[in-house]
Amino acid sequence: SSDSSSSSQMVSDTYAGTTANNVARLRTLGRDPIQLLSECEGDCDQDVDCGLGLVCFQRASSSSPLPTGCGGEMDSDYDYCVVGPKALDHAPGVNPTVLLGECQGDCDTDKDCGVGLVCFQRDTNGPAPPGCSGAPHTNYDYCVAGAKPLDSSPGVNLFSFFSLPRSFKLRECQGDCDRDSDCSAGLVCFQRDSGGPVPPGCSGAARSNFDYCVAPFPLRTWMTHLHGLLAPRTVGDITLPGSHDAGLSETNGCSIGGSRCNTVTQRLNVAQQLRAGIRYFDLRPALYVNTFYAAHYSDTQSILRWQGCLGESLSTVLSAVKAFATAHPRELIVLDFSHPLFIRVLRDDSGSFTQAQTTAFVRFVQAQVSRERLVPRSVLTSSSSGSTLLRTLWQDVLGTGANVIARFRNDFAALGQTLSVLSATEQQLVWTESEYPLYDRYSNKNELAAMKADQMQKWSDQQNTLFLLSWTLTQSQVQAVACMTTPGDWWANSILTLAATANGHLPDVLERYRQGGLRRPNVVYTDDCTSCVTALAVALNSDAATLDIRYPCPCQANSDCSNSACGRVGVGTDRACCPSGTIHTYAGFDYCGSLANGLSCFSDAMCQHDFCEGNNVG
């Protein structure tokens, strides 16, 4: 189908970019950096120098190979943080005088642990804490990633009326705060409406009208961060951020009528979308010259028949999925395969896959992702409506140790025959529309108001099944044909241009949900997926009053933002909704104030720590 849609501002990773091979780029912050390092950052000396879920990769010499998952140039004799379980560290001992890091002990309460950590209480000679490696010390308890209980004991700042700060800084999950400066270093003030949700990373009952200090939300691993909230829910009560025609960030061959203008749906490739928090991927396989590609083709119902372009090779896509899923076992990824196409030549094709091609493709997917990572259908929970994902608990899905679902739609015409020739183990890893029912009907509209009305009505009508909200604008036939003479990505009516219009109104989805009467949509999917779509899913899953606007959505005017604050997040970037409503004017134009480490800045006032500095590339 030629359904195409939405966009949002491309939000760069806060800390590290990516290389041409879609791995994180090495970044050197100098010796003894003052902040916890992110993935592929250095120099580290030990695991406690690295953020949650990361360890220090010690290089034997300056000629040692690149750390796994990192690319770029290494500084001589520097060590870098990579994904991996931290080794248990008993060195702080009993009654430590400093806040403990991940996998350090001995702790007695959560207050002994640093940001994003809780004290994991063990029985005598109990097992090692989750996410840690090595032998624990007898009777020692250790700090691990988890939600801290809310602490309202500090109370209201009685001097806030006079704009005076507190006499002390609040710690994680403590309140009441009024601004980020009320919180300890590395924390921000999570602003709640009266009776609003529990802040992310915290647990327990929030006090009415109290705001609490929290760690900035990591969208790259948002499911891991919200695991305690998601685990007891059913899959039918969880929203995934999704990518339409996910593999079309590039073209690798087009038919006569195909061009970037009418086929490219994404600016981020699949590896980058994973790092932006996207978890549902619409992948449409095409077989061309013995290679499987993601493809975006449409049947023109004319003598030209199928027209479109090939995108990323599916070998590249699935390798990226395997690497990310292995590194982040609590991040569930859904691969939804549909529209299979066997292409003889780029301007003529022979239609859908044969039974042999379908069988080969299923086995290709399982080999590329690895069977260990694929969730088996045996997790399904029986219910009055049959064995489907709708009523299956999230914790049961991830309880298998696997975290990738491979779904094959009914337009694989020979899928039934394929299942009959697969082994029992192979069959268990194939999800069909029967086990994973998902209502997915795009609007086929190229105007925002018509698309929005169509999808909002379908959302209201489909409350008893898993529902995909297709926030996508579709080119008209005239617009698609016009792309043949104006082939660029940003022609007036290209897919990406239409997407920019649609994605700017993603907050409308959250606003409709807040009005009540509807289940969460199970997938919100768009074109030009970035962290903005992830932020919407996080807000829906946590019942947050507003989007997590520290990972902003695009805007053109203040009225586009829930906090009426539209500005720039860096030099030369597009306008976006500012975090926490902060907005300032500098050099004649608006920008967002108090940005986190690693984002582009051009004045000290833009930074949380009031310190803007250049790097070795200007």
Side-chain angles (χ1 to χ4, degrees):
S1 73
S2 61
D3 54 312
S4 40
S5 112
S6 330
S7 148
S8 88
Q9 170 192 351
M10 181 174 179
V11 180
S12 61
D13 195 309
T14 300
Y15 290 102
T18 57
T19 67
N21 296 322
N22 299 326
V23 295
R25 186 181 299 279
L26 288 165
R27 185 166 182 233
T28 301
L29 301 182
R31 296 194 184 277
D32 303 319
I34 60 173
Q35 74 266 36
L36 288 178
L37 300 174
S38 189
E39 185 181 3
C40 297
E41 288 186 339
D43 174 45
C44 60
D45 298 310
Q46 50 191 333
D47 290 350
V48 294
D49 296 332
C50 304
L52 297 183
L54 302 175
V55 296
C56 185
F57 178 82
Q58 301 283 346
R59 300 163 58 224
S61 68
S62 59
S63 60
S64 295
L66 288 170
T68 302
C70 304
E73 296 294 325
M74 292 188 293
D75 277 68
S76 177
D77 300 325
Y78 272 41
D79 301 315
Y80 296 87
C81 294
V82 298
V83 173
K86 283 186 169 65
L88 289 170
D89 179 9
H90 328 297
V94 178
N95 300 322
T97 58
V98 296
L99 288 178
L100 300 176
E102 188 178 15
C103 298
Q104 283 190 319
D106 173 44
C107 60
D108 296 310
T109 70
D110 293 343
K111 292 181 179 179
D112 295 330
C113 303
V115 171
L117 302 174
V118 295
C119 186
F120 180 82
Q121 303 284 344
R122 300 168 53 247
D123 294 334
T124 302
N125 297 321
C132 305
S133 63
H137 194 290
T138 302
N139 294 325
Y140 266 39
D141 303 315
Y142 297 87
C143 294
V144 298
K148 281 188 169 68
L150 289 169
D151 177 9
S152 305
S153 63
V156 175
N157 176 17
L158 299 178
F159 299 101
S160 61
F161 179 78
F162 303 101
S163 298
L164 295 176
R166 284 183 170 275
S167 59
F168 60 92
K169 298 290 186 181
L170 298 174
R171 297 170 64 175
E172 187 180 16
C173 298
Q174 284 189 324
D176 173 47
C177 60
D178 298 307
R179 56 189 67 84
D180 291 350
S181 58
D182 291 336
C183 304
S184 298
L187 302 177
V188 296
C189 185
F190 181 83
Q191 303 284 344
R192 303 166 55 246
D193 289 341
S194 177
V198 173
C202 305
S203 61
R207 191 167 173 178
S208 179
N209 296 319
F210 265 43
D211 304 315
Y212 295 86
C213 295
V214 299
F217 199 92
L219 289 186
R220 180 189 293 216
T221 53
W222 66 272
M223 288 180 173
T224 303
H225 199 70
L226 292 180
H227 183 73
L229 182 69
L230 303 179
R233 290 187 188 169
T234 63
V235 174
D237 195 29
I238 291 172
T239 300
L240 302 182
S243 174
H244 166 245
D245 268 309
L248 266 294
S249 62
E250 61 184 58
T251 55
N252 288 295
C254 297
S255 64
I256 294 174
S259 70
R260 292 185 60 87
C261 170
N262 58 21
T263 61
V264 168
T265 56
Q266 307 294 335
R267 281 188 287 173
L268 303 183
N269 60 37
V270 169
Q272 293 166 331
Q273 290 174 44
L274 283 162
R275 290 194 286 272
I278 306 304
R279 294 295 176 263
Y280 171 95
F281 297 89
D282 166 35
L283 294 167
R284 307 181 181 196
L287 178 59
Y288 177 65
V289 193
N290 297 319
T291 301
F292 290 114
Y293 291 90
H296 190 179
Y297 271 74
S298 300
D299 188 350
T300 63
Q301 303 293 320
S302 69
I303 192 173
L304 294 176
R305 289 304 306 276
W306 293 87
Q307 295 293 310
C309 294
L310 301 174
E312 288 188 80
S313 79
L314 285 177
S315 177
T316 299
V317 167
L318 299 179
S319 294
V321 169
K322 177 183 178 181
F324 189 89
T326 302
H328 305 288
R330 283 187 169 177
E331 302 293 314
L332 181 68
I333 300 165
V334 176
L335 307 177
D336 195 356
F337 298 106
S338 65
H339 300 73
L341 192 64
F342 172 51
I343 303 175
R344 243 176 228 160
V345 294
L346 288 177
R347 62 176 58 89
D348 185 20
D349 66 86
S350 59
S352 187
F353 285 2
T354 64
Q355 187 261 320
Q357 290 167 338
T358 296
T359 303
F361 180 67
V362 169
R363 287 176 167 156
F364 166 78
V365 170
Q366 294 185 0
Q368 291 289 310
V369 178
S370 86
R371 293 178 182 174
E372 292 75 18
R373 295 261 55 88
L374 289 166
V375 177
R377 288 184 282 133
S378 58
V379 304
L380 292 177
T381 300
S382 295
S383 69
S384 58
S385 60
S387 295
T388 72
L389 269 182
L390 183 65
R391 292 179 174 83
T392 302
L393 293 179
W394 183 263
Q395 60 194 14
D396 291 341
V397 175
L398 292 180
T400 63
N403 58 330
V404 179
I405 290 178
R407 180 178 188 256
F408 297 83
R409 297 207 187 189
N410 291 340
D411 51 6
F412 283 85
L415 187 57
Q417 297 174 30
T418 290
L419 288 172
S420 68
V421 301
L422 295 177
S423 69
T425 300
E426 291 171 326
Q427 288 181 32
Q428 273 291 309
L429 306 179
V430 176
W431 293 72
T432 68
E433 291 187 36
S434 297
E435 298 88 24
Y436 193 151
L438 181 67
Y439 183 92
D440 175 12
R441 301 289 187 274
Y442 74 109
S443 67
N444 199 20
K445 307 292 184 183
N446 66 350
E447 295 181 351
L448 177 65
M451 180 275 287
K452 178 179 174 180
D454 174 88
Q455 289 298 297
M456 291 293 188
Q457 186 60 54
K458 288 172 179 172
W459 183 10
S460 178
D461 293 341
Q462 301 296 323
Q463 289 295 294
N464 296 312
T465 185
L466 295 173
F467 177 72
L468 182 148
L469 188 73
S470 182
W471 205 253
T472 55
L473 290 175
T474 304
Q475 288 178 318
S476 67
Q477 188 173 32
V478 171
Q479 290 170 336
V481 170
C483 284
M484 296 174 63
T485 57
T486 53
D489 291 5
W490 296 103
W491 176 66
N493 289 302
S494 71
I495 292 175
L496 289 179
T497 302
L498 292 175
T501 299
N503 281 8
H505 288 264
L506 273 169
D508 296 351
V509 177
L510 181 64
E511 181 59 33
R512 175 62 189 90
Y513 175 70
R514 290 180 64 202
Q515 292 173 11
L518 296 179
R519 282 194 313 108
R520 293 178 181 86
N522 300 105
V523 178
V524 176
Y525 102 153
T526 74
D527 292 318
D528 200 9
C529 280
T530 68
S531 295
C532 176
V533 188
T534 306
L536 172 66
V538 168
L540 287 166
N541 286 316
S542 59
D543 293 319
T546 61
L547 290 176
D548 188 336
I549 48 180
R550 290 183 179 277
Y551 294 81
C553 294
C555 60
Q556 300 299 319
N558 286 343
S559 58
D560 292 337
C561 302
S562 58
N563 56 11
S564 298
C566 180
R568 287 178 171 83
V569 294
V571 180
T573 62
D574 296 334
R575 292 169 65 85
C577 296
C578 291
S580 300
T582 59
I583 190 165
H584 304 288
T585 301
Y586 184 84
F589 60 88
D590 293 333
Y591 70 93
C592 302
S594 300
L595 299 185
N597 293 347
L599 290 180
S600 177
C601 62
F602 51 92
S603 77
D604 285 351
M606 293 182 70
C607 305
Q608 289 180 347
H609 47 43
D610 296 324
F611 188 61
C612 180
E613 181 185 49
N615 57 35
N616 59 4
V617 293

